[in-house]
Amino acid sequence: MASETEYCDNLFQYHRRKTRVIHVGEVPVGGDNPIRVQSMTIADTMNTKATVEEVIQLVEVGCEIVRITAPSINEAENLKNIKTELINHGIHVPLVADIHFTPNAALVAADYVEKVRINPGNYADKKKFEQYEYTDTEYLQELERIEEKFKPLVLKCKSLGRAMRIGTNHGSLSDRIMNRYGDTPEGMVESALEFVRICEKYDYHEIILSMKSSNPLVAIQAYRLLAARMAKLGMDYPFHLGVTEAGDGEEGRVKSAVGIGSLLEDGIGDTIRVSLTEDSVAEVPVAFKLVEKYNSLKENMTVQNISTNRKPLRRPNPFEYERRQTLTCDQVYYRLSGDNLPRVELSLAASLSDTSIAVDEISEFFRKRSSDPLQLVSGTNGKESFECETIHVSVRSREELQQFAELKKTAFKRALWLPFAVDFSQIADSAFEVAKAADRLVFSPRSNSDLAELVSAAKMFGRPVEWKIKPANFGAIENTLKFILQTCEELDYWNILFSLSSDHNILRNYRYLAGRLDALEAAFPVLLRYSADNDLESTILDASSQLGSLLCDGIGDSIHIDANLPADDLLRLSYNILQATRVRISKTDYISCPSCGRTLFDLQTTTERIKSKTDHLKGVKIAIMGCIVNGPGEMADADFGYVGAGPQKVNLFIGKECVQRNIPEEEADRRLIELIKSDGKWVEP
Ligand code: SF4
């Protein structure tokens, strides 16, 4: 059983969190059941035909639970017609009514659908974005007021056998919670617990919980904290996972996978929704791809012993971000350490035997942006430019070593000033020759390797050494580490970093490596290597889940994704993962809602249009939200907000403050840009 500070049973081995089973209609969620996939319709709920058609399309692509918005009693009443029509079509998929601000609508909806989703931030509170002071007595009175409003729904769901999701959203917490806990994961957890306690008081337990945020890091911390708190309180309710307002395309998939995948890796999550600003049917295959791995994982696959006779591993705080502090590793052009941005590295795909093809590959993706050799740019894609900051090359023979030296000379002559990391593990006796030509020595030691010559060579030429350990098991990592550190100590050379041989299951091994390094007080930088032999979408989802989990825990000073995909895809993915985990911001950040029946404009085209005008504003966060009811609350920490206020009308926000109301849609883009300019965040494209 996890303790207050532990959110899962074992950080080093996959275990699904133990939960009770909740029946959403005929679909059991939690326990040993597969992780369920759900989505939400975007058609107007009052348009029965369109909503029914959309539900049917979702069912056809495998969606197991469908949510429909019910903003008022009218929509809640129309769920009856939608349900009847679906049954007439032979469709029995469980429906969920999505409720915000309208307890009356929830009570009506419960008559017709299998589950009701409420948002504890706005079920009984009108969010006013004001800060109130609450004394303990006032706080208790507030809780009594909530109970009064919520109790009828609890009793109704209990008597009708309906399930309920208590779905907290970061950014739409009540003033009461904000006052006491702030806009924090703790506040999100407490917001849900207030409602859970009322359910339990009336002996109602058909509850699923969620802790969504548009910031994957906040979502991860909130779900972890909820799991830990539930374990301590002896509660075992299943979790619905999601990242809100993730956006579209690759960015939407990366954000979702970082948030949802990281949690699934730790066995947390019983049903998921991938919220994309795309047609709802597009969400379902992505969600299935994401859960596939975990639905087929068997518990206790490989039991690895964590030795107990050594200092315990140092583990990051799972509820609060803190970058792992490390010593510095210096390499030509930049340094790696906990004080510097995580870097992006790639492997050279071309063979070393053909210098001209290899140089062409480098020059194609690694173009020089200015005469400053520190400004190394590659993969320019429209307005986005991504830098590859080190090229990895393997040399397996002396002949290849010569070819590499030739390649480096040619690249240098063509002003392609890039550091080369050279893996020479297969020609261990060539350390001095490699050190002369390479900018970093990469080596995988074996038990009988003589490391003294290698370290001497690195020291003589002032090169960093990347120790690439084969992670056969945790014991192997531990023994190799000891052996390396001993040699470095003997020769007093510490310009080093660590990595593990590429693999697609990297999370636990890297957790172990970082934890063991820290426990040994050997705080050296770590390069995260991920490799996969998969299609682009599977690589996006799995790499984002695993690298995302590590980066959100502050582990990783550089990342290297190795896959049989074009270099610009790998670069873009690397930077998207760094952006989603917020450890390195390289472009504009968009928070766009997935749209639903409340949406007041075409969210996909609006998002595309705004992106095309603002995607050069590095680091600026812009929210594009479909409605004024939930939009402002759910755009979390956006700098600017573009929110549907009525038909063809838009409200503009700076932070959480609405600064322009009811602007005609055709003027809204221009006014948004003026607003960004007046706030000093605009730069000319
Ligand atoms: S913000 Fe978007 S998804 Fe959320 S309720 Fe409004 S329109 Fe629907």
Side-chain angles (χ1 to χ4, degrees), residues 140 168 186 193 248 446 592 615:
L140 277 176
T168 306
E186 198 188 353
L193 285 177
D248 59 0
R446 298 198 186 116
S592 51
D615 65 358

Side-chain angles (χ1 to χ4, degrees), residues 69 100 245 593-600 625-627 630-631 634:
T69 186
H100 295 271
E245 288 74 43
C593 81
S595 91
C596 70
R598 293 180 195 256
T599 312
L600 291 158
M625 312 298 284
C627 78
N630 287 329
E634 304 202 357

Side-chain angles (χ1 to χ4, degrees), residues 114-133:
E114 286 77 3
K115 182 172 152 201
V116 178
R117 179 269 165 124
I118 60 122
N119 178 342
N122 61 31
Y123 189 78
D125 293 90
K126 296 275 174 268
K127 187 93 179 80
K128 299 188 184 76
F129 312 115
E130 289 170 7
Q131 202 81 9
Y132 293 115
E133 289 297 321

Side-chain angles (χ1 to χ4, degrees), residues 421-672:
V422 178
D423 187 334
F424 69 109
S425 307
Q426 292 184 41
I427 49 166
D429 57 352
S430 307
F432 278 92
E433 290 95 319
V434 175
K436 249 188 249 173
D439 301 299
R440 181 196 299 168
L441 306 182
V442 184
F443 194 76
S444 296
R446 298 198 186 116
S447 54
N448 58 355
S449 299
D450 177 6
L451 304 184
E453 185 177 316
L454 189 164
V455 175
S456 303
K459 191 173 180 179
M460 177 182 283
F461 290 93
R463 309 292 192 219
V465 181
E466 176 190 329
W467 297 108
K468 190 166 101 177
I469 298 173
K470 288 199 169 72
N473 52 48
F474 292 151
I477 294 176
E478 189 147 338
N479 292 337
T480 316
L481 261 185
K482 224 166 117 189
F483 173 46
I484 292 167
L485 293 172
Q486 242 168 24
T487 313
C488 289
E489 178 135 37
E490 279 158 21
L491 292 158
D492 192 24
Y493 191 68
W494 298 110
N495 195 22
I496 60 175
L497 70 149
F498 286 87
S499 68
L500 299 173
S501 299
S502 287
D503 192 1
H504 61 282
N505 271 324
I506 62 166
L507 176 61
R508 291 164 188 82
N509 286 335
Y510 271 104
R511 269 184 186 160
Y512 188 86
L513 172 66
R516 180 53 70 206
L517 279 169
D518 291 346
L520 292 169
E521 289 174 4
F524 295 104
V526 165
L527 159 61
L528 304 178
R529 291 171 169 274
Y530 170 89
S531 97
D533 187 13
N534 245 324
D535 59 83
L536 179 59
E537 188 161 79
S538 301
T539 305
I540 288 170
L541 297 176
D542 193 44
S544 302
S545 302
Q546 298 194 63
L547 291 170
S549 176
L550 290 160
L551 291 164
C552 286
D553 276 340
I555 298 169
D557 303 288
S558 197
I559 65 172
H560 181 165
I561 301 178
D562 205 358
N564 196 15
L565 293 167
D568 51 356
D569 284 345
L570 298 175
L571 274 179
R572 196 184 55 247
L573 173 57
S574 301
Y575 277 91
N576 276 335
I577 292 173
L578 294 175
Q579 176 103 6
T581 51
R582 309 229 174 163
V583 297
R584 183 167 176 180
I585 302 293
S586 51
K587 56 185 178 175
T588 324
D589 208 26
Y590 295 96
I591 299 163
S592 51
C593 81
S595 91
C596 70
R598 293 180 195 256
T599 312
L600 291 158
F601 47 75
D602 184 329
L603 211 80
Q604 283 186 49
T605 53
T606 306
T607 304
E608 279 312 309
R609 205 182 59 239
I610 293 175
K611 274 188 174 180
S612 72
K613 294 174 183 171
T614 58
D615 65 358
H616 59 290
L617 301 174
K618 180 176 166 180
V620 176
K621 290 191 208 95
I622 301 175
I624 303 143
M625 312 298 284
C627 78
I628 195 73
V629 183
N630 287 329
E634 304 202 357
M635 58 199 193
D637 58 352
D639 300 310
F640 301 95
Y642 179 111
V643 181
Q648 279 97 50
K649 293 279 189 272
V650 171
N651 283 4
L652 296 180
F653 285 70
I654 294 185
K656 291 220 176 284
E657 189 189 349
C658 182
V659 290
Q660 295 187 27
R661 291 176 199 276
N662 294 319
I663 299 164
E665 207 177 320
E666 60 277 13
E667 282 180 33
D669 292 9
R670 181 177 57 77
R671 302 270 283 267
L672 174 68

Side-chain angles (χ1 to χ4, degrees), residues 237-283:
Y237 301 109
F239 292 173
H240 162 130
L241 303 186
V243 170
T244 54
E245 288 74 43
D248 59 0
E250 183 170 308
E251 282 170 35
R253 284 157 179 77
V254 169
K255 261 193 194 176
S256 298
V258 167
I260 298 171
S262 298
L263 292 158
L264 293 175
E265 280 288 338
D266 284 332
I268 293 174
D270 305 284
T271 172
I272 73 164
R273 180 200 176 193
V274 175
S275 305
L276 298 174
T277 311
E278 297 176 21
D279 289 343
S280 55
V281 286
E283 298 180 347

